[in-house]
Short mmCIF file of all heavy atoms in Angstrom, two decimals:
data_model
loop_
_atom_site.label_atom_id
_atom_site.label_comp_id
_atom_site.label_asym_id
_atom_site.label_seq_id
_atom_site.Cartn_x
_atom_site.Cartn_y
_atom_site.Cartn_z
N ASP A 1 -66.90 -103.71 83.87
CA ASP A 1 -67.41 -104.83 83.05
C ASP A 1 -66.44 -106.09 83.22
O ASP A 1 -65.42 -106.02 83.87
CB ASP A 1 -67.43 -104.37 81.61
CG ASP A 1 -66.20 -103.85 80.94
OD1 ASP A 1 -65.11 -104.39 81.32
OD2 ASP A 1 -66.30 -103.05 80.01
N ILE A 2 -66.99 -107.09 82.66
CA ILE A 2 -66.26 -108.45 82.76
C ILE A 2 -64.78 -108.30 82.15
O ILE A 2 -63.90 -108.76 82.60
CB ILE A 2 -67.05 -109.41 81.90
CG1 ILE A 2 -68.44 -109.62 82.42
CG2 ILE A 2 -66.35 -110.80 81.93
CD1 ILE A 2 -69.34 -110.45 81.47
N GLU A 3 -64.79 -107.57 81.05
CA GLU A 3 -63.41 -107.55 80.37
C GLU A 3 -62.38 -106.80 81.16
O GLU A 3 -61.26 -107.18 81.18
CB GLU A 3 -63.64 -106.88 78.98
CG GLU A 3 -64.40 -107.73 77.91
CD GLU A 3 -65.91 -107.75 78.19
OE1 GLU A 3 -66.44 -106.90 78.97
OE2 GLU A 3 -66.62 -108.70 77.62
N LYS A 4 -62.73 -105.71 81.82
CA LYS A 4 -61.86 -104.97 82.64
C LYS A 4 -61.45 -105.88 83.88
O LYS A 4 -60.20 -105.80 84.27
CB LYS A 4 -62.45 -103.68 83.00
CG LYS A 4 -61.56 -102.68 83.84
CD LYS A 4 -60.35 -102.26 83.01
CE LYS A 4 -59.53 -101.29 83.79
NZ LYS A 4 -58.35 -100.82 83.01
N ALA A 5 -62.46 -106.50 84.49
CA ALA A 5 -62.13 -107.41 85.56
C ALA A 5 -61.05 -108.50 85.23
O ALA A 5 -60.14 -108.79 85.97
CB ALA A 5 -63.35 -107.90 86.17
N SER A 6 -61.20 -108.97 84.09
CA SER A 6 -60.41 -109.97 83.66
C SER A 6 -58.97 -109.47 83.41
O SER A 6 -57.93 -110.07 83.74
CB SER A 6 -60.88 -110.60 82.32
OG SER A 6 -59.99 -111.58 81.75
N GLU A 7 -58.86 -108.31 82.68
CA GLU A 7 -57.56 -107.63 82.44
C GLU A 7 -56.95 -107.40 83.84
O GLU A 7 -55.77 -107.65 83.98
CB GLU A 7 -57.89 -106.38 81.85
CG GLU A 7 -56.63 -105.51 81.55
CD GLU A 7 -56.88 -104.10 81.02
OE1 GLU A 7 -58.03 -103.89 80.40
OE2 GLU A 7 -56.10 -103.07 81.21
N LEU A 8 -57.58 -106.81 84.75
CA LEU A 8 -56.90 -106.59 86.23
C LEU A 8 -56.49 -107.75 86.91
O LEU A 8 -55.69 -107.67 87.78
CB LEU A 8 -57.94 -105.58 87.08
CG LEU A 8 -58.21 -104.22 86.36
CD1 LEU A 8 -59.19 -103.53 87.21
CD2 LEU A 8 -56.95 -103.44 86.21
N THR A 9 -57.20 -108.93 86.65
CA THR A 9 -56.85 -110.14 87.48
C THR A 9 -56.17 -111.20 86.62
O THR A 9 -56.07 -112.34 87.01
CB THR A 9 -58.18 -110.66 88.03
OG1 THR A 9 -59.08 -111.04 86.99
CG2 THR A 9 -58.87 -109.78 88.97
N GLU A 10 -55.74 -110.78 85.36
CA GLU A 10 -55.24 -111.69 84.39
C GLU A 10 -56.12 -112.95 84.19
O GLU A 10 -55.53 -114.20 84.32
CB GLU A 10 -53.73 -112.04 84.83
CG GLU A 10 -52.87 -110.79 84.81
CD GLU A 10 -51.43 -111.07 84.99
OE1 GLU A 10 -51.02 -112.28 84.78
OE2 GLU A 10 -50.60 -110.14 85.18
N GLY A 11 -57.29 -112.78 83.99
CA GLY A 11 -58.21 -113.82 83.75
C GLY A 11 -58.72 -114.68 85.00
O GLY A 11 -59.12 -115.83 84.83
N ASN A 12 -58.44 -114.15 86.11
CA ASN A 12 -58.79 -114.87 87.47
C ASN A 12 -60.07 -114.38 88.10
O ASN A 12 -60.49 -114.99 89.10
CB ASN A 12 -57.68 -114.82 88.49
CG ASN A 12 -56.51 -115.63 87.96
OD1 ASN A 12 -56.52 -116.89 88.04
ND2 ASN A 12 -55.37 -115.09 87.44
N ALA A 13 -60.80 -113.39 87.61
CA ALA A 13 -61.96 -113.03 88.23
C ALA A 13 -63.14 -114.02 87.99
O ALA A 13 -63.36 -114.55 86.85
CB ALA A 13 -62.38 -111.65 87.69
N TRP A 14 -63.89 -114.22 89.06
CA TRP A 14 -65.10 -114.91 88.96
C TRP A 14 -66.29 -113.98 88.56
O TRP A 14 -66.15 -112.80 88.74
CB TRP A 14 -65.46 -115.62 90.24
CG TRP A 14 -64.39 -116.57 90.86
CD1 TRP A 14 -63.21 -116.74 90.39
CD2 TRP A 14 -64.67 -117.51 91.89
NE1 TRP A 14 -62.53 -117.74 91.17
CE2 TRP A 14 -63.43 -118.12 92.06
CE3 TRP A 14 -65.80 -117.77 92.75
CZ2 TRP A 14 -63.30 -119.15 93.04
CZ3 TRP A 14 -65.68 -118.79 93.78
CH2 TRP A 14 -64.41 -119.45 93.91
N PHE A 15 -67.30 -114.57 87.97
CA PHE A 15 -68.43 -113.68 87.49
C PHE A 15 -69.70 -114.01 88.03
O PHE A 15 -70.00 -115.31 88.02
CB PHE A 15 -68.48 -113.57 86.10
CG PHE A 15 -69.55 -112.72 85.56
CD1 PHE A 15 -69.41 -111.27 85.73
CD2 PHE A 15 -70.69 -113.11 84.92
CE1 PHE A 15 -70.48 -110.35 85.23
CE2 PHE A 15 -71.80 -112.27 84.53
CZ PHE A 15 -71.58 -110.86 84.70
N GLN A 16 -70.56 -113.21 88.75
CA GLN A 16 -71.84 -113.63 89.19
C GLN A 16 -72.83 -113.05 88.21
O GLN A 16 -72.88 -111.94 87.89
CB GLN A 16 -72.08 -112.93 90.54
CG GLN A 16 -73.48 -113.16 91.17
CD GLN A 16 -73.91 -111.99 92.13
OE1 GLN A 16 -73.97 -110.89 91.68
NE2 GLN A 16 -74.17 -112.48 93.30
N LEU A 17 -73.65 -114.00 87.81
CA LEU A 17 -74.81 -113.67 86.88
C LEU A 17 -76.16 -113.53 87.43
O LEU A 17 -76.63 -114.46 88.14
CB LEU A 17 -74.85 -114.84 85.82
CG LEU A 17 -75.93 -114.70 84.73
CD1 LEU A 17 -75.51 -113.54 83.71
CD2 LEU A 17 -75.92 -115.92 83.91
N TYR A 18 -76.72 -112.34 87.33
CA TYR A 18 -78.14 -112.13 87.38
C TYR A 18 -78.76 -112.75 86.23
O TYR A 18 -78.54 -112.17 85.07
CB TYR A 18 -78.46 -110.65 87.50
CG TYR A 18 -78.52 -110.07 88.94
CD1 TYR A 18 -77.28 -109.79 89.63
CD2 TYR A 18 -79.65 -109.77 89.59
CE1 TYR A 18 -77.28 -109.21 90.89
CE2 TYR A 18 -79.56 -109.19 90.89
CZ TYR A 18 -78.40 -108.94 91.54
OH TYR A 18 -78.41 -108.36 92.84
N ASN A 19 -79.65 -113.68 86.39
CA ASN A 19 -80.12 -114.41 85.06
C ASN A 19 -81.06 -113.38 84.36
O ASN A 19 -82.08 -113.06 84.81
CB ASN A 19 -80.93 -115.69 85.55
CG ASN A 19 -81.20 -116.47 84.31
OD1 ASN A 19 -80.40 -116.89 83.56
ND2 ASN A 19 -82.49 -116.90 84.13
N PRO A 20 -80.79 -113.10 83.03
CA PRO A 20 -81.49 -112.30 82.25
C PRO A 20 -82.85 -112.98 81.82
O PRO A 20 -82.85 -114.25 81.54
CB PRO A 20 -80.79 -111.93 81.09
CG PRO A 20 -79.26 -112.39 81.40
CD PRO A 20 -79.47 -113.45 82.39
N VAL A 21 -83.94 -112.20 81.60
CA VAL A 21 -85.19 -112.80 80.92
C VAL A 21 -84.80 -113.33 79.53
O VAL A 21 -85.26 -114.35 79.07
CB VAL A 21 -86.26 -111.84 80.94
CG1 VAL A 21 -87.39 -112.32 80.23
CG2 VAL A 21 -86.61 -111.54 82.39
N ASP A 22 -84.06 -112.49 78.77
CA ASP A 22 -83.74 -112.77 77.39
C ASP A 22 -82.60 -113.71 77.27
O ASP A 22 -81.47 -113.50 77.69
CB ASP A 22 -83.35 -111.38 76.75
CG ASP A 22 -83.17 -111.55 75.24
OD1 ASP A 22 -82.70 -112.61 74.74
OD2 ASP A 22 -83.50 -110.51 74.54
N ASN A 23 -82.80 -114.89 76.61
CA ASN A 23 -81.88 -115.87 76.50
C ASN A 23 -80.67 -115.45 75.68
O ASN A 23 -79.44 -116.05 75.94
CB ASN A 23 -82.43 -117.22 75.85
CG ASN A 23 -83.40 -117.85 76.84
OD1 ASN A 23 -83.48 -117.61 78.00
ND2 ASN A 23 -84.31 -118.76 76.30
N ALA A 24 -80.91 -114.70 74.74
CA ALA A 24 -79.72 -114.18 73.84
C ALA A 24 -78.79 -113.36 74.69
O ALA A 24 -77.62 -113.34 74.51
CB ALA A 24 -80.33 -113.35 72.59
N ILE A 25 -79.34 -112.49 75.62
CA ILE A 25 -78.48 -111.62 76.46
C ILE A 25 -77.71 -112.61 77.44
O ILE A 25 -76.58 -112.52 77.59
CB ILE A 25 -79.31 -110.60 77.23
CG1 ILE A 25 -79.85 -109.60 76.33
CG2 ILE A 25 -78.49 -109.97 78.38
CD1 ILE A 25 -80.78 -108.55 76.94
N ARG A 26 -78.49 -113.53 77.95
CA ARG A 26 -77.89 -114.51 78.87
C ARG A 26 -76.59 -115.21 78.13
O ARG A 26 -75.41 -115.29 78.74
CB ARG A 26 -78.81 -115.56 79.27
CG ARG A 26 -78.23 -116.74 80.16
CD ARG A 26 -79.20 -117.99 80.10
NE ARG A 26 -79.29 -118.58 78.75
CZ ARG A 26 -80.17 -119.33 78.33
NH1 ARG A 26 -81.24 -119.62 79.08
NH2 ARG A 26 -80.04 -119.91 77.15
N ASP A 27 -76.81 -115.76 77.00
CA ASP A 27 -75.81 -116.46 76.25
C ASP A 27 -74.58 -115.61 75.97
O ASP A 27 -73.46 -115.98 76.01
CB ASP A 27 -76.43 -117.13 75.03
CG ASP A 27 -77.41 -118.25 75.33
OD1 ASP A 27 -77.40 -118.73 76.38
OD2 ASP A 27 -78.03 -118.67 74.34
N ASN A 28 -74.92 -114.31 75.63
CA ASN A 28 -73.77 -113.44 75.25
C ASN A 28 -72.98 -113.01 76.46
O ASN A 28 -71.70 -113.08 76.37
CB ASN A 28 -74.39 -112.06 74.52
CG ASN A 28 -73.33 -111.20 74.07
OD1 ASN A 28 -73.02 -110.13 74.68
ND2 ASN A 28 -72.64 -111.67 72.97
N ILE A 29 -73.60 -112.98 77.64
CA ILE A 29 -72.71 -112.54 78.79
C ILE A 29 -71.96 -113.72 79.18
O ILE A 29 -70.78 -113.65 79.50
CB ILE A 29 -73.76 -112.21 79.98
CG1 ILE A 29 -74.44 -110.84 79.74
CG2 ILE A 29 -73.02 -112.14 81.21
CD1 ILE A 29 -75.50 -110.53 80.68
N ILE A 30 -72.48 -115.02 79.03
CA ILE A 30 -71.84 -116.19 79.36
C ILE A 30 -70.52 -116.33 78.42
O ILE A 30 -69.42 -116.63 78.72
CB ILE A 30 -72.65 -117.42 79.32
CG1 ILE A 30 -73.73 -117.52 80.40
CG2 ILE A 30 -71.78 -118.67 79.34
CD1 ILE A 30 -74.77 -118.44 80.39
N GLU A 31 -70.79 -116.03 77.04
CA GLU A 31 -69.78 -116.06 76.09
C GLU A 31 -68.65 -115.00 76.43
O GLU A 31 -67.35 -115.29 76.21
CB GLU A 31 -70.28 -115.85 74.63
CG GLU A 31 -71.04 -117.07 74.25
CD GLU A 31 -72.00 -116.70 73.01
OE1 GLU A 31 -71.91 -115.51 72.57
OE2 GLU A 31 -72.81 -117.59 72.55
N ARG A 32 -69.03 -113.91 76.86
CA ARG A 32 -68.05 -112.85 77.30
C ARG A 32 -67.29 -113.33 78.49
O ARG A 32 -66.08 -113.19 78.48
CB ARG A 32 -68.69 -111.60 77.56
CG ARG A 32 -69.31 -110.85 76.28
CD ARG A 32 -70.18 -109.66 76.78
NE ARG A 32 -69.41 -108.66 77.34
CZ ARG A 32 -70.15 -107.61 78.19
NH1 ARG A 32 -71.37 -107.55 78.12
NH2 ARG A 32 -69.38 -106.81 78.78
N ALA A 33 -67.89 -113.90 79.49
CA ALA A 33 -67.24 -114.38 80.59
C ALA A 33 -66.26 -115.46 80.29
O ALA A 33 -65.09 -115.62 80.73
CB ALA A 33 -68.20 -114.91 81.62
N GLU A 34 -66.68 -116.35 79.29
CA GLU A 34 -65.76 -117.44 78.86
C GLU A 34 -64.55 -116.83 78.11
O GLU A 34 -63.39 -117.27 78.38
CB GLU A 34 -66.43 -118.46 77.97
CG GLU A 34 -65.69 -119.62 77.48
CD GLU A 34 -66.46 -120.58 76.70
OE1 GLU A 34 -67.45 -120.14 76.16
OE2 GLU A 34 -66.02 -121.75 76.61
#
């Protein structure tokens, strides 16, 4: 998951988004990446 990738790279991992149909899921994933 995003959080583990961030932990292992000290916040340097990039994230590739498969765009979800549900905007709420999309926004939550973006917020997690941020």
Side-chain angles (χ1 to χ4, degrees):
D1 63 29
I2 302 170
E3 290 76 15
K4 184 66 174 178
S6 175
E7 176 189 333
L8 295 175
T9 63
E10 297 193 11
N12 288 287
W14 300 14
F15 182 71
Q16 179 205 58
L17 179 67
Y18 270 75
N19 189 51
V21 174
D22 188 323
N23 292 342
I25 294 178
R26 177 199 68 198
D27 289 348
N28 186 252
I29 292 176
I30 292 173
E31 287 162 8
R32 289 170 62 194
E34 183 178 21

